[in-house]
Amino acid sequence: MIVAALIMGFAGSLHCVGMCSPLAMAVSNMNPRAFLNRTIYNAGRILTYCLMGISVGSLTAALPFSKFQNVASILAGIVLLLVGTGLLKVKILLMSNGILKLTSLLKNHFTKFLAKKNCQSIFFLGTLNGLLPCGLVWIALTYTITLQSPFESFAFMLWFGIGTLPVMLRLTSIITNVMKRFNFNLQLVTSGMLI
């Protein structure tokens, strides 16, 4: 489970550089303690993932879901295969007014916390980032449905979040240089890891 969560987080986060990374960079540019700020920000984001995981895990534990876990596992595997092969695009369109309102509300709070420029506001910005509509996070949450307990769901989302850290801590330049040096295609590597 840990390896699956790390791989899903890392492989999926490679395509998120253009989406979430700018938010993290805006936070880290508040003062010279850039790496500390990014770490605090990502701690908040991962905490949100963990709380969502334990919520889904508690819900599935409360429902008579155990007889459907095999089917759910197969469906989650199929979704990952489709994402990895590019047949299913992981993009969340603003399909409903609810998602649009949530995004607007979060943006308003982002503006307020960005103005404060302290450790607490950076942490809360990270927690808000974890609530942004993201197909990758939703796929990870779907996977938690297949797990046996709320604790396992919490742990899966924790390791998933840790898997996203190399990208979110701005280590993408290192990753890109390694890929170029060994002539790897980033899209193929990402797809292969998800599969």
Side-chain angles (χ1 to χ4, degrees):
M1 173 186 76
I2 292 173
V3 173
L6 285 170
I7 289 174
M8 189 185 295
F10 181 71
S13 68
L14 292 175
H15 86 276
C16 294
V17 176
M19 294 179 69
C20 298
S21 193
L23 290 171
M25 295 314 103
V27 169
S28 67
N29 290 333
M30 287 180 175
N31 62 47
R33 302 178 305 161
F35 189 79
L36 176 62
N37 286 345
R38 284 195 290 265
T39 303
I40 293 169
Y41 179 83
N42 284 290
R45 181 178 59 84
I46 293 171
L47 175 64
T48 300
Y49 294 166
C50 292
L51 294 176
M52 289 192 295
I54 205 166
S55 299
V56 171
S58 298
L59 181 64
T60 55
L63 297 173
F65 191 72
S66 57
K67 54 187 165 186
F68 302 110
Q69 280 186 318
N70 287 339
V71 173
S73 295
I74 291 168
L75 290 175
I78 290 170
V79 167
L80 284 174
L81 285 170
L82 291 174
V83 171
T85 57
L87 296 175
L88 180 64
K89 301 293 181 191
V90 185
K91 290 182 181 173
I92 300 301
L93 301 174
L94 297 177
M95 297 176 286
S96 70
N97 288 334
I99 292 176
L100 184 58
K101 286 177 183 175
L102 173 65
T103 306
S104 297
L105 181 68
L106 292 175
K107 284 180 182 176
N108 290 338
H109 286 297
F110 266 114
T111 305
K112 290 175 187 174
F113 284 123
L114 274 171
K116 294 184 180 176
K117 301 183 180 181
N118 59 39
C119 289
Q120 285 179 319
S121 65
I122 292 169
F123 181 80
F124 286 123
L125 281 166
T127 60
L128 291 176
N129 183 17
L131 294 172
L132 288 172
C134 172
L136 178 65
V137 175
W138 290 1
I139 288 173
L141 284 170
T142 302
Y143 186 89
T144 64
I145 293 170
T146 68
L147 301 175
Q148 299 290 326
S149 70
F151 175 76
E152 284 187 3
S153 298
F154 175 92
F156 183 86
M157 293 307 290
L158 172 65
W159 287 106
F160 166 79
I162 290 170
T164 65
L165 282 177
V167 169
M168 295 302 291
L169 289 176
R170 205 173 184 187
L171 302 177
T172 48
S173 58
I174 297 169
I175 295 165
T176 305
N177 288 336
V178 169
M179 296 289 184
K180 285 179 181 176
R181 182 179 175 90
F182 293 101
N183 208 17
F184 288 130
N185 181 313
L186 185 59
Q187 182 61 41
L188 287 177
V189 170
T190 302
S191 298
M193 289 177 78
L194 283 172
I195 291 167

